[in-house]
Amino acid sequence: MTSNQRRPLIAGNWKMNLDLAGAKALVAGIQEAASRADGVETVIAPPFTSLAVVAQAVKGTKIRCASQNVHWAENGAFTGECAAASLKELGVESAIIGHSERRQHFGETDKSVHDRLGAALKAGLLPIVCIGESLDEREAQETWRVLETQMKGALEGFAPTDLSVLVIAYEPVWAIGTGKVATPAQAQEAHLFIRKKVASLYSEELATGLRILYGGSVKPDNVDELMSQPDVDGALVGGASLKADGFSRIIGFQVPAAS
Ligand code: PGA
């Protein structure tokens, strides 16, 4: 399988933003771009509070709805959490897992990421597992160690066949919400590292089919160059996914034909 056979995925992470009216307006505003972008998969992840409305609004369209988290248990005494089955019931088809904001502010660990991934896989939710190093870690030359630890922790014990739908988002923490995007070369280097690691931990087949998204200050004016990298299969977009025009441009990214 070549990179051309990995279907590009553009995901918008709305984080804790937008009221119901704003959510509906944004869905309406990106509808055309999503239906025009041939071969591109578009996913949006609204906050839990607007999931039902957004899942309903995207029904029958090319846009898929994701949650920003999912709990590992089927149900129970887990105040503030949300079970995979409840998400599925709303029409949610995907889940972001282990976002760095969850790791930084809410005590998410590699173990909890692993367990959440298990629940998503079991429920048939397309899992988007986030990994990435902090600025201190990058400056201390620890990027590869961090990525490897996070990956191993999240994926440990799953069979390659379980992971065939897995999506990994490489999101360097220093690039998230800072306007400091990784250079296309930095993104490519990290994505290639991740792919090679998956090949050595699992199989060549899983690695070549694995979609790896880049996240961290993706904008309409840098998406084309990022998407031109052979191992960048999509983007996880925060701030720029909140504006219909900008996100539409990102969904419709243009990769110059190879010369
Ligand atoms: P950003 O966020 O695009 O605002 O940097 C990306 C993310 O957190 O997924």
Side-chain angles (χ1 to χ4, degrees):
M1 189 184 278
T2 67
S3 60
N4 300 344
Q5 288 165 286
R6 293 191 292 267
R7 189 167 184 218
L9 196 169
I10 302 293
N13 175 9
W14 294 1
K15 307 193 179 180
M16 199 172 72
N17 292 297
L18 300 176
D19 58 14
L20 287 180
K24 282 188 210 162
L26 184 48
V27 171
I30 62 172
Q31 213 57 273
E32 198 195 323
S35 63
R36 232 184 313 124
D38 220 14
V40 176
E41 198 172 332
T42 305
V43 170
I44 49 177
F48 283 123
T49 44
S50 45
L51 269 177
V53 160
V54 171
Q56 191 58 36
V58 301
K59 214 169 168 182
T61 76
K62 281 182 68 188
I63 302 171
R64 297 168 84 183
C65 188
S67 60
Q68 297 173 15
N69 201 358
V70 57
H71 196 257
W72 52 84
E74 284 178 14
N75 53 52
F78 298 104
T79 303
E81 289 284 336
C82 202
S86 315
L87 297 168
K88 293 277 291 188
E89 195 177 21
L90 297 180
V92 172
E93 295 178 81
S94 172
I96 296 174
I97 299 169
H99 190 279
S100 66
E101 284 150 17
R102 303 268 346 143
R103 294 177 190 260
Q104 260 180 297
H105 307 305
F106 303 100
E108 199 78 71
T109 63
D110 293 338
K111 166 79 171 88
S112 61
V113 170
H114 169 274
D115 294 351
R116 293 180 195 279
L117 172 60
L121 290 170
K122 193 165 168 213
L125 289 167
L126 180 82
I128 304 176
V129 172
C130 305
I131 59 173
E133 82 288 358
S134 67
L135 185 58
D136 285 352
E137 289 162 343
R138 177 161 279 262
E139 287 177 345
Q141 324 283 337
E142 287 182 353
T143 299
W144 307 136
R145 182 193 60 75
V146 170
L147 295 183
E148 182 170 350
T149 305
Q150 292 182 343
M151 238 188 313
K152 277 186 175 161
L155 306 186
E156 197 188 345
F158 293 111
T161 45
D162 294 336
L163 297 176
S164 58
V165 294
L166 175 72
V167 175
I168 289 184
Y170 168 61
E171 298 208 304
V173 179
W174 48 271
I176 296 179
T178 58
K180 259 200 247 163
V181 63
T183 64
Q186 282 173 324
Q188 168 59 23
E189 188 185 24
H191 285 219
L192 188 59
F193 172 84
I194 292 165
R195 200 176 303 287
K196 285 189 170 159
K197 243 328 132 206
V198 169
S200 72
L201 290 172
Y202 286 93
S203 71
E204 201 67 50
E205 197 191 345
L206 184 68
T208 45
L210 175 72
R211 290 187 291 177
I212 308 174
L213 317 183
Y214 167 78
S217 298
V218 175
K219 302 274 182 296
D221 64 3
N222 59 30
V223 66
D224 297 348
E225 230 193 323
L226 287 160
M227 289 302 294
S228 304
Q229 303 302 309
D231 288 286
V232 176
D233 307 311
L236 181 53
V237 187
S241 73
L242 295 170
K243 294 268 181 323
D245 286 359
F247 194 55
S248 293
R249 172 63 184 83
I250 292 172
I251 295 168
F253 67 88
Q254 303 285 325
V255 174
S259 53

